[in-house]
């Protein structure tokens, strides 16, 4: 969605579904990384390697995987949403879980509201950012799914594409 690029893909096969199930069963602290790796491997296999996964924003990977899942397993997903731990109530007025049905075909990425990623710092100095890649997010996220303040700044630094000063452009990958 962020690039507007059309992608051809095939539904995933039993071996790819098995890879995903094995990743879902992983209960180690790094299980989110295992699942993410499985998702990326499945996307690479189902797009015949035509897609540069490393260059995609995390939401692009998630969207492509949802489309793959829809065509491979089915467009309707049943999700059990559990009651948050901090909410207390009696069982009649607040069940432990609610079942929600999501139709993947109804999920639309609205890219019209994406802001310009160039940030003007002074009159002639600015920074161009790119969307965080999945690997960047995985590097800094904790097993509980949170980010420490220091890690947020490190992630922002990794999202710098280039810095400009007047007519000079300094690419982040070429700078320390």
């Amino acid at each position: 969605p962020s690039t507007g690029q059309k992608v051809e893909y095939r539904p995933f096969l039993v071996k790819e579904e098995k890879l995903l199930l094995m990743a879902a069963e992983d209960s180690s602290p790094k299980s989110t990384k295992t699942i993410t790796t499985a998702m990326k491997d499945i996307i690479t296999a189902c797009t015949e390697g035509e897609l540069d996964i490393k260059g995609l924003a995390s939401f692009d990977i998630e969207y492509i995987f949802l489309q793959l899942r829809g065509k491979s397993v089915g467009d309707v997903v049943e999700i059990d949403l559990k009651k948050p731990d901090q909410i207390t109530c009696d069982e009649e007025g607040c069940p432990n879980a609610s079942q929600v049905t999501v139709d993947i075909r109804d999920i639309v990425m609205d890219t019209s509201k994406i802001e310009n990623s160039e940030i003007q710092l002074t009159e002639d100095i600015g920074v161009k950012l790119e969307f965080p890649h999945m690997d960047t997010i995985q590097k800094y996220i904790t097993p509980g799914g949170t980010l420490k303040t220091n890690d947020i700044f490190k992630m922002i630094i990794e999202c710098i594409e280039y810095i400009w000063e007047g007519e000079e452009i300094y690419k982040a990958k070429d700078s320390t």
Side-chain angles (χ1 to χ4, degrees):
S2 71
T3 65
Q5 177 186 359
K6 298 278 185 200
V7 178
E8 288 187 23
Y9 58 89
R10 64 166 172 78
F12 50 76
L13 306 173
V14 173
K15 67 179 180 179
E16 286 124 6
E17 190 169 4
K18 185 177 179 182
L19 178 67
L20 194 60
L21 289 171
M22 287 172 35
E25 290 175 358
D26 185 2
S27 60
S28 72
K30 301 227 180 224
S31 63
T32 55
K33 185 172 180 152
T34 306
I35 292 170
T36 302
T37 302
M39 282 174 49
K40 292 190 303 186
D41 290 347
I42 290 170
I43 291 171
T44 300
C46 293
T47 59
E48 308 294 330
E50 299 282 325
L51 197 57
D52 177 24
I53 296 288
K54 288 193 180 281
L56 291 177
S58 59
F59 61 85
D60 284 334
I61 291 173
E62 292 167 355
Y63 181 80
I64 292 168
F65 184 77
L66 278 175
Q67 300 310 308
L68 266 170
R69 193 265 183 217
K71 299 302 179 224
S72 303
V73 180
D75 290 316
V76 178
V77 180
E78 300 285 335
I79 302 171
D80 285 329
L81 294 178
K82 292 190 169 84
K83 174 183 72 77
D85 292 336
Q86 65 268 27
I87 296 176
T88 56
C89 55
D90 63 15
E91 288 301 314
E92 290 179 34
C94 185
N96 282 338
S98 296
Q99 191 165 40
V100 177
T101 302
V102 178
D103 190 336
I104 293 173
R105 294 171 294 199
D106 294 338
I107 298 173
V108 179
M109 295 283 294
D110 182 8
T111 57
S112 67
K113 295 181 180 159
I114 295 177
E115 296 286 330
N116 183 1
S117 61
E118 292 183 347
I119 301 169
Q120 193 78 33
L121 300 173
T122 68
E123 197 171 297
D124 59 341
I125 297 175
V127 177
K128 167 88 164 86
L129 299 172
E130 59 187 11
F131 294 111
H133 300 130
M134 191 69 81
D135 291 340
T136 305
I137 294 170
Q138 290 295 184
K139 189 187 305 183
Y140 296 110
I141 201 159
T142 63
T146 60
L147 286 167
K148 297 176 184 164
T149 306
N150 240 8
D151 292 338
I152 292 172
F153 286 111
K154 289 177 186 174
M155 191 163 67
I156 291 171
I157 290 168
E158 285 197 40
C159 290
I160 295 174
E161 190 173 332
Y162 59 82
I163 298 170
W164 76 86
E165 180 177 17
E167 297 296 317
E168 292 289 322
I169 293 179
Y170 305 98
K171 295 197 180 253
K173 65 181 178 184
D174 299 333
S175 304
T176 58

